[in-house]
Amino acid sequence: MTSQDSDRDWWRTAVVYQVYPRSFADSDGDGIGDLRGLIQRLDHLERLGVDVVWLSPIYRSPQDDNGYDISDYQDIDPTFGTLADVDELIAAMHERGMRLMMDLVVNHTSDEHPWFVESRSSTDNPKRDWYWWRPPREGMAGGTPGAEPNNWESAFSGTVWEHDEASGEYYLHVFSRKQPDLNWENPEVREAVYAMMRWWLDRGVDGFRMDVINLISKDPALPDGIVHAGTYGDSSPYLINGPRIHEFLAEMHREVMQGRDRKILTVGETPGATVEDGLLYTDAARRELDMVFTFEHVGVDHAQTKWDLIPLQLTALKAVLGRWQVGLADVGWNSLYWNNHDQPRAVSRFGDDGAWRERSAKLLGTVLHLHRGTPYVYQGEELGMTNHPFGSIDEFRDIESLNHHAQAVGLGVDPDRVLESLRSRGRDNARTPMQWDASPHAGFTTGEPWLPVNPNHTEVNAEAATADEGSVFHHYRRLIELRHQEPVVALGDFTMLLPDDEAVYAFTRSLDDVELLVVANFSGEPVGADVDVAAWADAEVLLDNVGHAAAAWDGRLEPWQALVLRRTR
Ligand code: GLC
């Protein structure tokens, strides 16, 4: 391996930190986070030891979906700052040895993007075909109920079709009606996207997190989906992992990533992707993506939709994560996450955010970071931030939550039940401001924050956590350090143990003569772990979230205890 090759492999031991800029740090007192706020807080990330920052969208945007609706890919929204601020951010990060991964949202644009404005202007505009325009259903008048070109449901409730009075046609929007889907069948669209990506790489960014990237290839017939329940049909066979997806991603890799003087890191957000799909996306020989975000493990605690809550079964969670570990063991690569800006806080969801908040947050970090793949830390996760105690619907801001509430209540679902699922699963839980200190608004802003700060910031905050060696923050710092120091953490083989145990999550990792045992008690009761304890009697305790210096581990685990043991063979 030449030195250039090994440099290109740096990312296999890397840890990524996600910044949701709106909620990270506000430098100008308008209540919304910004780039200068992030630059001022880079010390925090450096101290934690992360290698890469994934920055959620900062581009010009009407903010219908908090920046995932982009009206100019090559400019910065004034709310967040300027291009000069981005240049300064890149320089400041590179100086600290960190890399910047931008969010790439190219399944759709904003309806205020000049491409769409042109496309909408007339049926013979050269950009008409850059989006998905269709006439009303045969024999029906546009704009009347049921006249939509097909029966697909938007991810944000209601139909995917918006009727355009002027031309009498409809345009497709899988997300909000302000997020029209780009037509990737059109080579001009693809070229425009690739040119924009190259422009960012030339500016110094190091990678892309690709928003819902497995939705870009659609079946151009856009057929009705089968109706399983309710009024809408299942669009997934025609929308997800579509017919040309691998061709498009390989083309993108060739046109944008290939031949660069440095490794460009890519991760695709791929809802609905199976292990088999994941393998195709991330097989290095196929040159598509480095890794993808699976949704399977964040689907184990809900039924049909994310709003239908069911209790977590640890065995189900282990089955999914274990399957991905095995499936991508030899070819491909996993990304590892509990949290992001779309998911509720992990400690509230999979841990215990009451009496065992700190311990269970450390346990979750331990289990995730000891898997094989690239761990992602979402802002505040390293502090053990929790879900927000939302009251009425008026306190929610997220378009997904508001639309779901309106639709469900409109259909007669008990409003209390709807609120219960929003409180548990709503995306605003992840989006409350980062908790920097115990001062009013948690040091996030001097103004009025766009979303209220969690009242527990007086206790749960970065200032307190960094000052306390026993905090969740320092536990995460150690986990990241361990990955950097012990090759077995990043590269070792993974073997799941005790798949049928409802309380204990246990697995081994091994590389050459080094072996690790990870055991974690996902419950508030002490348990015994049914593993070969004698074989680990002389092992070194690498990490323990309870803090006792366990001389020799006896197989017992305290509530929410997680241990990492190391032995050589
Ligand atoms: C992705 C983003 C989410 C956004 C959606 C539409 O799932 O993570 O925040 O709402 O795509 O862009």
Side-chain angles (χ1 to χ4, degrees):
M1 193 182 270
T2 67
S3 69
Q4 210 199 355
D5 285 335
S6 69
D7 188 40
R8 283 182 175 252
D9 262 352
W10 60 265
W11 63 277
R12 295 212 188 244
T13 57
V15 175
V16 184
Y17 186 95
Q18 183 191 354
V19 169
Y20 192 68
R22 207 181 169 76
S23 307
F24 193 64
D26 173 23
S27 72
D28 61 4
D30 67 355
I32 300 176
D34 48 48
L35 288 165
R36 301 223 65 81
L38 167 56
I39 293 170
Q40 288 161 13
R41 293 292 187 176
L42 284 178
D43 282 351
H44 177 78
L45 306 186
E46 192 177 11
R47 194 181 295 183
L48 188 58
V50 297
D51 307 276
V52 179
V53 171
W54 149 26
L55 183 59
S56 279
I58 50 167
Y59 315 98
R60 249 183 213 276
S61 159
Q63 305 291 326
D64 186 54
D65 185 19
N66 290 357
Y68 283 89
D69 50 315
I70 297 168
S71 55
D72 186 344
Y73 290 108
Q74 286 167 241
D75 202 0
I76 305 305
D77 199 87
T79 320
F80 296 125
T82 62
L83 277 171
D85 293 332
V86 177
D87 292 339
E88 195 178 320
L89 174 69
I90 294 172
M93 287 186 53
H94 286 174
E95 214 166 283
R96 290 163 198 258
M98 289 189 260
R99 289 161 159 106
L100 180 62
M101 192 190 235
M102 297 291 268
D103 218 307
L104 180 82
V105 188
V106 291
N107 173 68
H108 45 267
T109 66
S110 163
D111 65 338
E112 297 182 34
H113 194 293
W115 296 345
F116 187 76
V117 173
E118 269 193 58
S119 179
R120 178 176 222 165
S121 66
S122 77
T123 48
D124 56 9
N125 184 276
K127 290 209 168 55
R128 185 66 169 183
D129 190 41
W130 281 41
Y131 295 83
W132 296 92
W133 290 96
R134 290 290 184 273
R137 201 177 275 272
E138 217 168 328
M140 298 196 70
T144 59
E148 295 82 20
N150 73 18
N151 66 1
W152 297 1
E153 182 176 21
S154 155
F156 292 162
S157 306
T159 168
V160 293
W161 295 101
E162 181 72 7
H163 186 236
D164 180 55
E165 296 273 334
S167 67
E169 292 190 334
Y170 288 83
Y171 67 84
L172 176 80
H173 60 88
V174 171
F175 295 89
S176 97
R177 56 187 185 78
K178 288 187 68 61
Q179 293 170 299
D181 283 55
L182 279 166
N183 175 13
W184 277 68
E185 296 294 316
N186 185 332
E188 289 174 18
V189 168
R190 307 205 296 274
E191 274 156 33
V193 168
Y194 304 152
M196 173 272 284
M197 292 173 76
R198 287 191 292 261
W199 183 86
W200 277 107
L201 292 182
D202 292 343
R203 220 173 175 102
V205 312
D206 306 288
F208 298 103
R209 173 270 183 187
M210 304 180 184
D211 195 66
V212 288
I213 200 66
N214 64 332
L215 269 52
I216 59 175
S217 164
K218 290 141 173 104
D219 177 343
L222 308 179
D224 277 334
I226 297 173
V227 180
H228 299 296
T231 39
Y232 294 104
D234 179 6
S235 60
S236 55
Y238 315 110
L239 185 61
I240 294 181
N241 309 310
R244 297 181 69 188
I245 185 65
H246 297 291
E247 174 197 335
F248 292 162
L249 289 175
E251 179 183 81
M252 178 192 281
H253 187 278
R254 221 169 35 241
E255 295 292 324
V256 179
M257 264 58 86
Q258 203 152 295
R260 290 267 154 187
D261 58 354
R262 62 196 193 283
K263 163 76 190 169
I264 305 301
L265 189 60
T266 57
V267 53
E269 187 202 23
T270 54
T274 61
V275 175
E276 292 69 36
D277 299 316
L279 205 54
L280 293 176
Y281 288 129
T282 68
D283 175 353
R286 294 172 55 89
R287 293 170 192 261
E288 294 185 18
L289 299 170
D290 289 319
M291 52 192 149
V292 294
F293 291 126
T294 167
F295 277 63
E296 284 194 61
H297 69 298
V298 289
V300 294
D301 55 357
H302 69 236
Q304 210 62 339
T305 79
K306 71 182 266 183
W307 307 114
D308 305 328
L309 313 182
I310 54 174
L312 172 74
Q313 275 196 310
L314 186 67
T315 45
L317 184 66
K318 290 192 284 191
V320 169
L321 289 175
R323 199 151 41 72
W324 278 81
Q325 289 287 302
V326 171
L328 272 56
D330 302 321
V331 174
W333 190 255
N334 273 297
S335 61
L336 309 167
Y337 77 95
W338 295 131
N339 272 128
N340 60 42
H341 65 293
D342 295 331
Q343 299 294 331
R345 291 282 176 182
V347 69
S348 302
R349 181 181 196 174
F350 302 121
D352 175 347
D353 64 4
W356 302 110
R357 184 188 65 82
E358 288 197 77
R359 204 188 271 186
S360 64
K362 292 177 197 170
L363 170 142
L364 289 169
T366 306
V367 169
L368 191 79
H369 283 242
L370 268 293
H371 277 69
R372 182 181 153 103
T374 300
Y376 286 72
V377 181
Y378 177 68
Q379 65 187 42
E381 181 182 340
E382 78 282 20
L383 308 177
M385 275 177 62
T386 64
N387 278 355
H388 188 80
F390 285 104
S392 73
I393 186 65
D394 304 334
E395 294 178 23
F396 290 88
R397 293 284 169 277
D398 178 23
I399 183 169
E400 183 192 52
S401 292
L402 299 179
N403 287 1
H404 168 67
H405 184 265
Q407 176 165 305
V409 171
L411 287 170
V413 183
D414 173 7
D416 286 338
R417 241 188 70 205
V418 180
L419 268 181
E420 189 195 327
S421 31
L422 294 190
R423 287 191 194 108
S424 165
R425 296 298 148 78
R427 305 192 299 180
D428 283 330
N429 282 303
R431 302 175 180 187
T432 62
M434 178 72 175
Q435 294 166 204
W436 294 106
D437 58 39
S439 70
H441 306 321
F444 163 70
T445 181
T446 54
E448 199 50 44
W450 72 277
L451 196 61
V453 165
N454 194 311
N456 68 13
H457 74 276
T458 47
E459 224 184 284
V460 184
N461 64 68
E463 190 178 58
T466 46
D468 170 9
E469 273 298 312
S471 66
V472 179
F473 176 87
H474 286 288
H475 193 81
Y476 266 76
R477 186 181 57 67
R478 281 183 207 107
L479 286 167
I480 296 168
E481 196 175 66
L482 192 62
R483 174 165 292 260
H484 290 154
Q485 288 171 357
E486 276 278 359
V488 64
V489 175
L491 304 172
D493 291 341
F494 177 100
T495 307
M496 186 70 86
L497 308 175
L498 312 181
D500 301 325
D501 196 308
E502 275 304 343
V504 180
Y505 200 126
F507 55 92
T508 57
R509 303 291 311 280
S510 66
L511 183 71
D512 303 327
D513 61 343
V514 178
E515 198 174 10
L516 304 181
L517 172 68
V518 181
V519 274
N521 176 5
F522 271 72
S523 85
E525 307 294 325
V527 293
D530 195 10
V531 298
D532 184 0
V533 177
W536 293 88
D538 300 327
E540 175 193 355
V541 179
L542 279 186
L543 271 178
D544 176 4
N545 67 344
V546 170
H548 308 326
W553 181 56
D554 61 4
R556 279 181 300 190
L557 292 167
E558 293 190 26
W560 296 102
Q561 184 173 17
L563 278 177
V564 183
L565 305 180
R566 179 189 196 273
R567 68 176 185 183
T568 46
R569 281 183 292 210

